[in-house]
Amino acid sequence: MFATRSPLWALWASLLAVVLGAATGLPDVIRIGGLFHPADDRQEVAFRYAVERINLDRGLLPRSRLSAQIERISPQDSFHASKRVCHLLRAGVAAIFGPQSGQTASHVQSICDTMEIPHLETRWDFRLRRESCLVNLYPHPTALSRAYVDVVRAWGWKSFTIVYESNEGLVRLQELLKAHGPSEFPIAVRQLGEGSDYRPLLKQIKNSAESHIVLDCSTERIYDVLKQAQQIGMMSDYHSYLITSLDLHTVDLEEFKYGGTNITAFRLVDPEKAEVQKVVRDWMHGEMRYGRKPELAPHVLKKDNLTFIKTETALMYDAVHLFAKALHDLDSSQRIDVKPLSCDASDTWPHGYSLINYMKIVEMKGLTGVIKFDNQGFRSNFMLDVVELTRDGLQKIGTWNSTAGVNFTRTYGEAYTQIVESLQNKTFVVTTILSSPYCMRKDSSEKLSGNDQFEGYGVDLVEEISRILGFNYTFKLVPDGRYGSLNRETKEWDGMMKELLDQKADLAIADLTITYDREQAVDFTMPFMNLGISILYRKPIKQPPNLFSFLSPLSLDVWIYMATAYLGVSVLLFILARFSPYEWDNPHPCNEVPDVLENQFSLLNSLWFTIGSLMQQGSDIAPKAVSTRMVAGMWWFFTLIMISSYTANLAAFLTVERMDSPIESAEDLAKQTKIKYGALRGGSTAAFFRDSNFSTYQRMWSFMESARPSVFASSNIEGVDRVVKGKGSYAFLMESTSIEYVIERNCELTQVGGLLDSKGYGIAMPPNSPYRTAISGAVLKLQEEGKLHILKTRWWKEKRGGGSCRDDTSKSSSAANELGLANVGGVFVVLMGGMGVACVIAVCEFVWKSRKVAVEDRSTSLCSEMATELKMAMRCRGSTRPARNKKNKGSKGGSSQGGLACGGPSDNPHFVSLGHYGQYGFATKDPS
Ligand code: GLU
């Protein structure tokens, strides 16, 4: 008995039998027993039909006939089952088939094991180890479990919920549970409760926002579970179900075909296979022959839809064929007789193990594909079809086998076309928010309703996309008026994000920024607009032009240095001229031996010379010595550069409008507390500052959070209003595109500084939306066609007062070229000041001279002398006047030829300057 357990032994035995030429042969009638439950008589039909086919074909058992011995038992009554098995054994059977119920099968199994009678099963058996007499054609749990793992991996599901019915189901899902790594998202495992109301459980799954579900329940319950899921809104476009039953094709899925839910399953029997179709058709007629009405629904019969065949039924058909094949193979090696066995005796069937071993090494094709067992006798090498529910019913989209894993036969293009087709005439709920210019209420005297109420960039965008993809849409304003932010404590979203996650909306089209957090929760399309955060502030106040703006080209320091240089060079010139002998000249060239020599560079003349060249004029005094020429040359070079620099800068300073803005960047904002600043509450801008690791932004966030009253605005409009009313005391952190829109219309406002980050707006949809690729494609198409640019121009620059600030800028830029009196007034002031000082000096000179004459004359008083001089000045015409007689006072100048001790021309009252165009000359000692 121990040796017969090995398949190898069976081979040796058959070889030996052939060599020895042992007499072979099978009895004419071979009885096989079948145990069936009356409720599931399809198994019985399959069994009978298979026997009939084998007897008719004669290919497998040409000299023998199979005889089906059928016993009907209750699925729970194992005592009755044992009795019926014993009854069959007493009659003499070569194998026992069935039953399907686990309770009765185990008893049947143990009896067969004792009597060494082959026991063929076709039911799901969760046990991983089995009895030696058992041949189960149902795929082994471990192998089946691997198929689920492979498909879930291929789809890239990170999180999912397993809904199972009984603990046996968990064996089927063991690999799936094991494959989920600890670092990944948690998976939920929930058991379908007793009774037929699964709604509470399904609601819990819905509330957990899970959209990937692995459903493991009996085929009979699938419809109810799906139906109730549909009732509570869990059969949307965004839900995906993986059903572990291999019999999904027997479930009526008519009601779920158009929902867009992704329902996928595996099947072992391909109903499209010609062999299967032939068998099933014969079967239907056979059923009638056995006196039963076919159980197929009339519509199924009419359409000749043959998908009803259950896996276990097909397996029963295959099991009988497998038995016949093994019998045929064994027949060639030994003589087999079937004898009656009594359960009360310790009798066994000697050919039992040989037959079992033959069955385990046989390889044949059946309704359930290639039937082959591994070395442990399990069916772990099989091929499954991956099927998906479409509008046309269940369609094969791929295959799975234990060596190659999942292989999807549907191409990406086919899948895409299918999605685009499913979009036709679908109506999407589009959630949005009132935000200019993306979605605004239309100005109309009539009462508008539905989509007609709204207009804007977002409204036009969805219209363009719907034209490409052919769907309909209805706008729905988000009830809480928020974009969507995650509450870190409750882990709940608000705003448009919540609408999508609750599947109250299919699309969110607004100025909704794509952020990391949001991308984790929902699906976004490609961005349709790029932007960054910036600062909205009131425009800087124009500074009134400064009267002395002509001084601005050079800083005060430079002016002081220039004055110092002027004085320094003048004094140096004076000193060097004194030292240099070449600067001492003969005042009377006719007198070759002069008594005195003169030096033209008195201190005053030196000052006059340097100022003359600084003003780009001249002074008619020219240095003669190399040293003084060196000083003059360098001074001229200095003045050349300084004057050129001054002139070049003057133009810019006089024409450019001086603006005074207290802030130029976010850093400036962060540094001060006088100007308050805030952002939109619950928006991505606030989230940017909240989550930033950059110290400046962290400081800004702390400031914003702690500011009382709150600096946050509930809408962009409110924020803009605060900037306008704040008159410089409030700045609003806003997205650059919205700033662009505002400053195009409100000329008091401007954008301050550059962009603090870079991001985009996208169209959001619930997670796992099958439409993401199609809508993304449409956005790209619109971008490439330039439609997005046209829309932007329309809503930013044209509609609703766009461009009103453009005139303002052009006006101010042209005005900047003209210089008003305010710009150059200072020069006039200086001129008038100079004239005034000259007049005062003239009066002083007049008084001084009159006093001197009066003192010298002694005969006249100062007043009469002044009156005489005044009369003279008023009366005289032309440039001559009568000279006055006065005493020659003689020269006071020394005659030394050089040195600082000598009196210079400045000390000589006869040496006078006649102005810069005049000549230096010597007044005669006696002018008369
Ligand atoms: N676009 C932002 C969002 O999606 C709203 C505006 C803002 O935060 O500045 O949240």
Side-chain angles (χ1 to χ4, degrees):
M1 178 176 139
F2 56 89
T4 52
R5 289 175 191 239
S6 147
L8 213 61
W9 182 90
L11 270 176
W12 276 114
S14 51
L15 274 174
L16 203 67
V18 171
V19 170
L20 295 177
T24 63
L26 285 170
D28 291 345
V29 177
I30 302 166
R31 288 194 193 86
I32 51 171
L35 294 163
F36 302 104
H37 305 305
D40 184 18
D41 59 356
R42 307 191 72 76
Q43 288 284 317
E44 186 189 321
V45 174
F47 180 69
R48 277 179 191 277
Y49 177 66
V51 168
E52 208 168 274
R53 281 288 297 268
I54 290 162
N55 289 342
L56 280 174
D57 278 359
R58 299 248 145 229
L60 278 176
L61 302 171
R63 289 186 302 274
S64 314
R65 226 174 50 79
L66 291 181
S67 162
Q69 305 293 306
I70 290 176
E71 293 291 341
R72 296 198 183 100
I73 55 167
S74 146
Q76 282 88 34
D77 194 349
S78 44
F79 175 70
H80 184 232
S82 318
K83 277 181 77 180
R84 297 326 299 163
V85 176
C86 289
H87 174 77
L88 286 172
L89 293 178
R90 250 195 319 275
V93 288
I96 302 268
F97 291 78
Q100 292 303 96
S101 131
Q103 272 179 19
T104 47
S106 54
H107 286 82
V108 176
Q109 180 56 58
S110 55
I111 297 170
C112 290
D113 223 28
T114 318
M115 315 295 264
E116 295 182 15
I117 292 287
H119 181 205
L120 286 100
E121 277 192 337
T122 59
R123 67 185 184 93
W124 154 253
D125 187 353
F126 64 91
R127 292 172 309 153
L128 303 178
R129 295 169 158 272
R130 316 251 169 101
E131 287 84 358
S132 47
C133 273
L134 179 68
V135 175
N136 193 342
L137 274 79
Y138 202 95
H140 191 256
T142 314
L144 203 56
S145 196
R146 231 173 291 130
Y148 303 129
V149 174
D150 287 348
V151 79
V152 164
R153 282 226 178 105
W155 283 332
W157 283 6
K158 286 190 190 128
S159 77
F160 51 89
T161 294
I162 293 177
V163 179
Y164 71 100
E165 184 181 348
S166 64
N167 293 342
E168 287 179 19
L170 288 178
V171 180
R172 205 171 2 232
L173 300 166
Q174 56 175 324
E175 296 292 322
L176 200 56
L177 291 165
K178 275 196 257 168
H180 194 80
S183 60
E184 288 167 271
F185 290 87
I187 58 166
V189 183
R190 296 174 191 268
Q191 187 168 17
L192 275 183
E194 295 287 308
S196 57
D197 186 9
Y198 316 117
R199 290 178 195 90
L201 176 98
L202 292 169
K203 270 185 195 151
Q204 281 176 21
I205 300 173
K206 191 179 179 206
N207 292 342
S208 72
E210 184 58 78
S211 52
H212 295 143
I213 293 145
V214 179
L215 177 62
D216 184 280
C217 66
S218 62
T219 312
E220 294 73 43
R221 281 177 125 184
I222 292 175
Y223 174 83
D224 289 339
V225 175
L226 293 183
K227 185 76 204 158
Q228 291 179 21
Q230 191 179 43
Q231 285 162 0
I232 63 158
M234 276 187 66
M235 290 292 274
S236 68
D237 293 348
Y238 318 109
H239 285 98
S240 297
Y241 289 82
L242 171 63
I243 293 174
T244 58
S245 166
L246 298 180
D247 288 323
L248 186 66
H249 53 273
T250 63
V251 180
D252 181 11
L253 298 171
E254 195 62 25
E255 291 165 51
F256 314 116
K257 275 194 330 199
Y258 304 99
T261 315
N262 185 346
I263 300 176
T264 310
F266 287 106
R267 73 179 175 203
L268 194 58
V269 187
D270 181 359
E272 267 115 63
K273 259 205 233 157
E275 168 67 3
V276 177
Q277 293 201 353
K278 183 175 177 300
V279 170
V280 174
R281 214 169 284 122
D282 287 353
W283 206 316
M284 276 151 48
H285 296 127
E287 281 195 325
M288 289 182 221
R289 248 199 338 270
Y290 301 130
R292 259 187 305 273
K293 274 196 206 134
E295 285 178 8
L296 301 178
H299 75 274
V300 173
L301 264 180
K302 241 184 269 153
K303 282 193 209 159
D304 200 17
N305 187 334
L306 303 167
T307 58
F308 76 98
I309 187 165
K310 269 188 158 187
T311 307
E312 290 184 1
T313 317
L315 285 171
M316 179 55 79
Y317 179 86
D318 284 350
V320 180
H321 275 80
L322 176 72
F323 170 78
K325 177 96 171 53
L327 210 55
H328 167 82
D329 290 355
L330 184 64
D331 174 38
S332 54
S333 63
Q334 55 186 269
R335 189 179 167 77
I336 302 161
D337 49 358
V338 183
K339 60 171 188 175
L341 295 171
S342 164
C343 289
D344 304 328
S346 56
D347 222 1
T348 57
W349 188 41
H351 307 289
Y353 277 120
S354 308
L355 198 56
I356 287 162
N357 289 331
Y358 266 92
M359 277 193 265
K360 286 182 180 172
I361 57 170
V362 147
E363 196 176 321
M364 60 166 267
K365 272 194 157 186
L367 296 184
T368 57
V370 176
I371 299 164
K372 196 173 151 191
F373 294 87
D374 61 16
N375 50 13
Q376 293 183 51
F378 301 136
R379 191 167 178 198
S380 53
N381 218 335
F382 52 93
M383 169 99 107
L384 295 173
D385 286 348
V386 186
V387 289
E388 191 186 280
L389 184 65
T390 67
R391 286 171 177 234
D392 305 321
L394 281 175
Q395 299 282 323
K396 179 174 166 179
I397 57 161
T399 56
W400 177 90
N401 68 47
S402 53
T403 44
V406 192
N407 175 25
F408 288 106
T409 45
R410 189 173 57 175
T411 62
Y412 181 77
E414 281 165 3
Y416 184 78
T417 318
Q418 208 173 314
I419 288 167
V420 172
E421 272 169 18
S422 72
L423 270 172
Q424 303 297 318
N425 301 325
K426 212 173 176 73
T427 302
F428 282 139
V429 176
V430 180
T431 179
T432 190
I433 187 167
L434 288 176
S435 163
S436 309
Y438 306 94
C439 180
M440 302 168 283
R441 283 200 191 276
K442 258 188 210 162
D443 297 329
S444 167
S445 52
E446 289 157 34
K447 194 174 177 326
L448 300 173
S449 63
N451 291 352
D452 292 341
Q453 300 172 73
F454 307 109
E455 63 173 6
Y457 180 91
V459 179
D460 285 1
L461 178 64
V462 72
E463 175 59 28
E464 292 289 344
I465 296 172
S466 75
R467 249 186 243 160
I468 297 173
L469 297 176
F471 61 83
N472 302 318
Y473 57 90
T474 338
F475 276 109
K476 179 175 172 241
L477 287 180
V478 58
D480 62 2
R482 292 205 176 200
Y483 286 84
S485 62
L486 178 68
N487 183 330
R488 307 236 165 213
E489 270 124 50
T490 59
K491 298 262 174 275
E492 274 186 17
W493 286 92
D494 60 10
M496 286 187 276
M497 292 289 295
K498 186 172 163 58
E499 291 284 286
L500 293 176
L501 291 169
D502 292 350
Q503 279 154 27
K504 289 186 182 151
D506 303 289
L507 299 175
I509 300 188
D511 48 335
L512 187 68
T513 312
I514 305 172
T515 65
Y516 174 76
D517 277 350
R518 288 177 182 170
E519 175 70 50
Q520 298 299 306
V522 297
D523 282 352
F524 275 100
T525 59
M526 301 283 295
F528 59 82
M529 203 177 269
N530 294 313
L531 61 130
I533 297 172
S534 197
I535 304 164
L536 181 77
Y537 193 53
R538 66 105 223 254
K539 267 195 186 147
I541 301 162
K542 276 186 211 160
Q543 286 290 83
N546 188 352
L547 194 63
F548 295 101
S549 55
F550 65 88
L551 291 174
S552 314
L554 301 179
S555 70
L556 181 66
D557 294 4
V558 177
W559 282 120
I560 292 172
Y561 282 126
M562 262 180 74
T564 315
Y566 163 68
L567 289 175
V569 170
S570 305
V571 170
L572 186 72
L573 190 65
F574 166 69
I575 294 169
L576 293 188
R578 296 237 130 210
F579 275 106
S580 173
Y582 303 106
E583 287 293 349
W584 293 97
D585 284 332
N586 179 0
H588 304 289
C590 308
N591 178 7
E592 288 188 0
V593 192
D595 293 336
V596 288
L597 290 175
E598 271 180 4
N599 192 327
Q600 56 178 342
F601 282 106
S602 66
L603 192 58
L604 276 178
N605 276 358
S606 299
L607 288 167
W608 181 243
F609 171 80
T610 40
I611 198 83
S613 42
L614 186 64
M615 296 295 161
Q616 304 281 284
Q617 306 304 319
S619 59
D620 279 356
I621 313 170
K624 293 187 195 101
V626 175
S627 56
T628 47
R629 281 183 178 174
M630 186 71 192
V631 173
M634 283 300 109
W635 176 246
W636 288 339
F637 174 74
F638 170 80
T639 54
L640 174 75
I641 302 299
M642 288 312 292
I643 298 298
S644 322
S645 310
Y646 174 84
T647 315
N649 220 9
L650 183 65
F653 269 83
L654 291 182
T655 50
V656 171
E657 234 171 51
R658 302 273 106 196
M659 298 284 202
D660 181 31
S661 178
I663 49 163
E664 301 282 341
S665 63
E667 275 76 16
D668 289 352
L669 266 185
K671 267 188 247 157
Q672 54 82 56
T673 50
K674 220 176 109 209
I675 301 168
K676 301 267 180 290
Y677 48 90
L680 185 88
R681 188 177 289 112
S684 60
T685 304
F688 168 82
F689 285 96
R690 186 191 60 201
D691 303 335
S692 177
N693 290 327
F694 191 47
S695 64
T696 308
Y697 302 151
Q698 279 176 350
R699 227 173 327 127
M700 287 174 80
W701 176 247
S702 320
F703 173 83
M704 287 192 259
E705 255 195 327
S706 56
R708 294 288 172 277
S710 172
V711 286
F712 293 105
S714 55
S715 69
N716 275 344
I717 297 180
E718 191 192 309
V720 173
D721 233 44
R722 268 179 95 164
V723 177
V724 174
K725 290 193 182 135
K727 299 221 181 303
S729 65
Y730 183 80
F732 191 51
L733 293 153
M734 202 178 180
E735 283 165 332
S736 56
T737 39
S738 302
I739 293 182
E740 226 178 286
Y741 177 80
V742 171
I743 62 177
E744 190 73 35
R745 284 153 185 82
N746 191 335
C747 313
E748 281 174 54
L749 303 179
T750 189
Q751 177 180 334
V752 171
L755 305 184
L756 309 190
D757 64 350
S758 169
K759 49 203 179 185
Y761 293 145
I763 299 173
M765 50 200 84
N768 312 312
S769 172
Y771 310 118
R772 182 190 11 200
T773 321
I775 297 176
S776 261
V779 169
L780 276 184
K781 191 161 183 260
L782 291 174
Q783 197 161 29
E784 281 167 20
E785 285 173 358
K787 287 255 169 66
L788 293 187
H789 182 72
I790 295 171
L791 288 187
K792 177 135 194 236
T793 314
R794 182 189 301 162
W795 289 105
W796 264 253
K797 308 229 181 269
E798 292 164 11
K799 295 221 171 190
R800 299 227 178 192
S804 45
C805 293
R806 240 172 293 148
D807 305 343
D808 208 51
T809 28
S810 56
K811 244 187 273 161
S812 62
S813 63
S814 70
N817 295 331
E818 287 170 13
L819 294 182
L821 188 62
N823 300 90
V824 288
V827 190
F828 288 88
V829 171
V830 171
L831 181 65
M832 287 187 309
M835 298 303 110
V837 171
C839 292
V840 170
I841 293 172
V843 170
C844 292
E845 280 175 348
F846 181 79
V847 174
W848 177 254
K849 184 74 183 167
S850 303
R851 200 194 128 263
K852 223 169 144 190
V853 171
V855 169
E856 278 173 9
D857 231 4
R858 289 216 181 106
S859 56
T860 52
S861 69
L862 174 63
C863 288
S864 63
E865 181 58 29
M866 275 171 61
T868 319
E869 282 290 317
L870 200 61
K871 256 189 245 159
M872 185 76 74
M874 310 263 284
R875 211 187 297 140
C876 71
R877 290 187 182 82
S879 54
T880 53
R881 58 173 261 188
R884 295 171 63 109
N885 286 335
K886 56 180 184 175
K887 278 183 192 153
N888 184 4
K889 286 173 75 187
S891 173
K892 270 190 194 169
S895 57
S896 41
Q897 300 224 340
L900 288 171
C902 307
S906 58
D907 300 328
N908 188 344
H910 310 294
F911 182 77
V912 292
S913 167
L914 298 178
H916 73 273
Y917 286 120
Q919 298 289 317
Y920 289 101
F922 294 90
T924 53
K925 284 180 184 160
D926 187 349
S928 63

